[in-house]
Amino acid sequence: MCGIIGYIGGRNASQIVLGGLENLEYRGYDSVGMAVTDPARDGTDIRRAVGEVSELTEEYDIIALDGTTGIGHTRWATHGSVSEHNAHPHTCCTERVSIVHNGIIKNYEEIAERLESHEFSSETDSEVIAHFLGEQLRNGTSLHDAIQQFAVQAEGTYAVVAVDTETGELFGFKHGSPLAVGIGDDEYFIGSDVHAFGEHTQDVVFLEDNDYVILDLDGPAFHHTEDGPVEKEITTVDESAVGNGKGDYDHHMLKEIHEQPDALYRLQESLNRSQHEKVERFVELLQENNKVLFTAAGTSYHATLLGVYYLQKAGIEAQTLISSEFQNYERVDEDTLLIAVSQSGETRDTLDAIEYSQERGAEIASIVNMPHSAIQRESTVSLEIQAGKEVAVAATKTFSNTVLTLLHLAVAAGYDGQIGNISEHMRSVIQENEPRIQELAAELADEDDMYVIGRGSTYPVSREIALKLKEVPYIHAEGMMGGELKHGTLALIEDGTPVFALVPEEDDEIVSNVHEVEARGGNVIHISPYYGDFDIPEDRDAFPLYATTLGFLLSYHLGRERGCPIDKPRNLAKTVTVR
Ligand code: G6P
């Protein structure tokens, strides 16, 4: 994954790069680093540290670094351990070029072998990029030819931002990983996404594969490795999509859970108004194609399970598959509609499933949170879930808004569903139940295993709650179909084992599964409008959203009780741009 940023302009580059890295930290936080230089001087100051961005500022007086050109990197380790020498930026041993990289260069060893006079100082695949470019430029190759040569030789995925210390030029190129250029007033930014520089400018150019850009104080020059100079369109992005900050909350996760009523309201309005035509087009595509397939990863995959459930109620047969396994299990053709669901709009496995389906003639639709993202750009029609920026690695409000989008689509396609006043009901679910959730978190804080059972529309909820219990408080949890319990997992139920039962209706079949657990001494906690301690509206179709939100709150408060790093769980990242 990794977040990368570059800046060239008249201001202190270290300050801007630092701010950008803080905004990109959700892409990885194993290590961090930056390089700062100036066209007026030779050489580059490089500072790197293991851990989060704050480690860099604790170890060094970053702001004192002098220079108006800078690059920075926040890492999610793929090749090479988490250590300072593997942290980016990497510099060619000639010191001509420093680079930051997001992606994986698969044939880095092969390229490195051809650079035999070069001394490597890390175990990363990325370092080879610095030596390759440094070697080319030292031999008098133009920057254009050096980038083109790299594109010919490199296999894998990359978004690279680099600085040529001799000319002071900042440049970036990409294949398979995202890269966006921000256009300011006599200053320019380049980064993994608009969050890298959104507080400075909202005028953005999104690079496509094999595009590259050379930035100096005269502005950006865009090129394509095969087509030469290219004109690129400037897009103005919505400021609300790039906003940041925790407000009065201790963590982004809690803030984002509490933002749900407003986010749901905003989404409902837009689906009924500004996105209404897109909804109609989406429904046409659902009805025109013989086969409807969803694909997604993580939390977005759980939302698609609900998508399948809701569409089936509208008489549309659909299936879903986790995007990393899509090509192993799915057959697609010209009569297939592929619906890619992704908060970031960038998940590599989901993009691969799209590419695979496009090659076989399928139509692509998507549901994303990030406007202008790669997945949206590949789609015939793309609905935006309008959740605003989500910073916590664990997705919360984006799950709810994705599910509401899917429910809205099913209703537009003919499902006789009842959505109700979902925004106000969500507000009361949070307000009325959070104190009880806090007590429960204190009671359960020492538990190491938990189970969540659901049926029908609550099976996806059970999976999502279990995922949150793993991610945030690091509790081993399983979400499963209530009917499956007796086929194995029941063997793990002992006296006091916590089992959350999702019971949307009074006579739901899950009740008999609850009895099976209680008979073995399990500690059943009902999430239901009818049983147990929680106050939940009798709103059948929106119940999955309310139940998941209680799971979000429980995971959050358990995380606090257990002293976990809530917004940045160990080993994870929010935007996953590697396979
Ligand atoms: C990562 C995030 C998850 C997210 C998943 C899919 O694993 O930590 O929260 O659900 O990627 O991301 P997407 O952006 O495609 O929804």
Side-chain angles (χ1 to χ4, degrees):
M1 280 69 95
C2 308
I4 60 176
I5 179 170
Y7 170 79
I8 188 163
R11 292 194 274 165
N12 178 326
S14 53
Q15 195 153 14
I16 289 168
V17 169
L18 198 61
L21 289 176
E22 279 163 1
N23 292 338
L24 287 176
E25 238 184 342
Y26 64 88
R27 288 176 167 265
Y29 30 85
D30 286 334
S31 65
V32 57
M34 67 162 73
V36 174
T37 185
D38 211 294
R41 70 170 154 105
D42 265 355
T44 311
D45 289 320
I46 295 188
R47 299 288 182 272
R48 306 188 289 186
V50 171
E52 300 181 9
V53 176
S54 54
E55 298 293 332
L56 201 61
T57 46
E58 269 164 38
E59 268 183 53
Y60 303 104
D61 186 2
I62 290 293
I63 304 301
L65 294 179
D66 192 24
T68 51
T69 305
I71 58 176
H73 187 272
T74 175
R75 179 170 188 239
W76 187 82
T78 57
H79 288 60
S81 58
V82 175
S83 63
E84 196 174 314
H85 70 276
N86 285 335
H88 299 218
H90 293 293
T91 301
C92 173
C93 45
T94 64
E95 296 197 356
R96 174 80 190 252
V97 178
S98 291
I99 66 105
V100 287
H101 167 225
N102 169 28
I104 294 176
I105 306 298
K106 284 203 287 193
N107 61 339
Y108 71 101
E109 284 164 326
E110 190 187 311
I111 300 177
E113 269 170 32
R114 285 183 232 126
L115 295 163
E116 50 195 24
S117 65
H118 285 247
E119 212 171 295
F120 286 74
S121 56
S122 80
E123 294 121 38
T124 66
D125 56 319
S126 309
E127 191 186 347
V128 77
I129 306 169
H131 293 281
F132 182 92
L133 295 171
E135 174 73 12
Q136 298 270 330
L137 295 179
R138 181 175 65 176
N139 293 342
T141 309
S142 73
L143 185 51
H144 295 275
D145 289 343
I147 295 171
Q148 277 160 9
Q149 273 307 311
F150 183 78
V152 169
Q153 294 193 29
E155 287 167 19
T157 58
Y158 49 86
V160 176
V161 175
V163 60
D164 178 343
T165 51
E166 203 169 291
T167 62
E169 278 169 327
L170 182 70
F171 56 102
F173 50 98
K174 69 151 262 161
H175 183 85
S177 301
L179 201 54
V181 176
I183 315 286
D185 291 335
D186 299 325
E187 58 179 0
Y188 306 95
F189 309 82
I190 181 165
S192 296
D193 59 39
V194 293
H195 301 140
F197 48 73
E199 62 200 85
H200 304 292
T201 179
Q202 278 95 52
D203 290 336
V204 182
V205 172
F206 294 97
L207 298 190
E208 300 299 334
D209 279 355
N210 297 328
D211 280 348
Y212 64 95
V213 60
I214 300 177
L215 295 148
D216 58 25
L217 290 176
D218 294 330
F222 296 101
H223 300 260
H224 185 274
T225 52
E226 282 152 29
D227 307 337
V230 283
E231 288 284 322
K232 301 292 290 183
E233 192 187 331
I234 298 179
T235 305
T236 302
V237 298
D238 179 0
E239 217 166 331
S240 67
V242 295
N244 222 341
K246 288 200 283 248
D248 293 334
Y249 293 90
D250 290 342
H251 297 95
H252 286 286
M253 183 180 178
L254 189 63
K255 173 172 174 260
E256 288 156 7
I257 294 171
H258 280 259
E259 278 172 356
Q260 288 184 104
D262 291 342
L264 289 166
Y265 178 78
R266 187 164 60 236
L267 173 64
Q268 258 181 325
E269 285 292 296
S270 88
L271 291 172
N272 287 324
R273 297 171 205 278
S274 57
Q275 298 201 87
H276 180 64
E277 276 180 28
K278 281 201 280 178
V279 170
E280 287 187 334
R281 180 74 191 111
F282 213 119
V283 170
E284 277 168 20
L285 290 178
L286 285 169
Q287 287 162 347
E288 277 165 14
N289 285 279
N290 277 344
K291 191 168 181 179
V292 177
L293 295 176
F294 285 100
T295 196
T299 289
S300 293
Y301 169 71
H302 296 152
T304 66
L305 287 169
L306 269 160
V308 170
Y309 177 87
Y310 291 138
L311 285 187
Q312 176 255 341
K313 298 272 177 205
I316 296 169
E317 204 181 307
Q319 294 167 20
T320 182
L321 196 67
I322 287 186
S323 50
S324 59
E325 285 295 327
F326 190 82
Q327 301 174 34
N328 293 332
Y329 285 92
E330 289 298 357
R331 247 168 30 90
V332 297
D333 57 27
E334 298 84 11
D335 279 334
T336 305
L337 173 67
L338 177 75
I339 308 174
V341 176
S342 173
Q343 185 284 125
S344 61
E346 283 181 32
T347 300
R348 186 65 252 165
D349 290 329
T350 308
L351 276 162
D352 286 347
I354 290 178
E355 200 179 311
Y356 169 84
S357 303
Q358 280 171 331
E359 281 164 7
R360 285 154 185 81
E363 189 87 65
I364 311 297
S366 63
I367 298 175
V368 301
N369 191 37
M370 279 305 291
H372 317 292
S373 52
I375 288 176
Q376 179 166 85
R377 297 203 299 274
E378 294 300 328
S379 313
T380 308
V381 54
S382 178
L383 289 171
E384 290 167 14
I385 63 167
Q386 311 258 329
K389 186 179 178 189
E390 191 175 65
V391 178
V393 165
T396 54
K397 62 177 178 172
T398 54
F399 173 81
S400 296
N401 273 32
T402 305
V403 172
L404 179 59
T405 306
L406 290 161
L407 178 56
H408 185 95
L409 269 176
V411 170
Y415 170 41
D416 177 23
Q418 297 147 18
I419 300 186
N421 191 346
I422 205 165
S423 162
E424 278 319 303
H425 286 172
M426 181 63 91
R427 201 178 300 283
S428 83
V429 165
I430 296 171
Q431 269 169 12
E432 299 301 318
N433 298 301
E434 193 165 5
R436 172 64 193 125
I437 290 278
Q438 273 174 276
E439 282 169 21
L440 191 61
E443 285 164 28
L444 299 178
D446 294 330
E447 296 289 344
D448 288 326
D449 301 286
M450 292 184 182
Y451 300 88
V452 191
I453 54 172
R455 292 182 91 110
S457 68
T458 60
Y459 162 63
V461 175
S462 73
R463 297 279 307 267
E464 177 55 18
I465 294 179
L467 177 65
K468 284 294 163 293
L469 289 169
K470 286 183 265 202
E471 279 181 301
V472 182
Y474 302 158
I475 291 172
H476 165 252
E478 280 187 50
M480 58 190 309
M481 297 168 179
E484 269 298 284
L485 203 58
K486 55 186 170 294
H487 297 294
T489 311
L490 205 53
L492 297 174
I493 306 300
E494 297 175 349
D495 236 10
T497 307
V499 178
F500 294 90
L502 306 167
V503 194
E505 293 184 86
E506 208 165 359
D507 55 353
D508 198 281
E509 282 182 323
I510 197 97
V511 173
S512 61
N513 305 130
V514 166
H515 295 320
E516 291 156 13
V517 173
E518 283 173 339
R520 273 93 190 161
N523 171 16
V524 174
I525 300 141
H526 289 91
I527 298 185
S528 171
Y530 305 99
Y531 306 93
D533 294 345
F534 296 115
D535 190 352
I536 304 175
E538 294 171 29
D539 210 353
R540 191 193 61 199
D541 286 306
F543 178 79
L545 295 186
Y546 309 141
T548 319
T549 295
L550 296 187
F552 292 158
L553 284 168
L554 180 69
S555 302
Y556 172 78
H557 287 290
L558 278 168
R560 280 192 88 132
E561 290 283 338
R562 291 162 69 98
C564 296
I566 290 173
D567 286 332
K568 293 180 204 148
R570 69 179 168 226
N571 305 337
L572 301 181
K574 192 163 186 69
T575 303
V576 182
T577 53
V578 293
R579 291 189 176 99

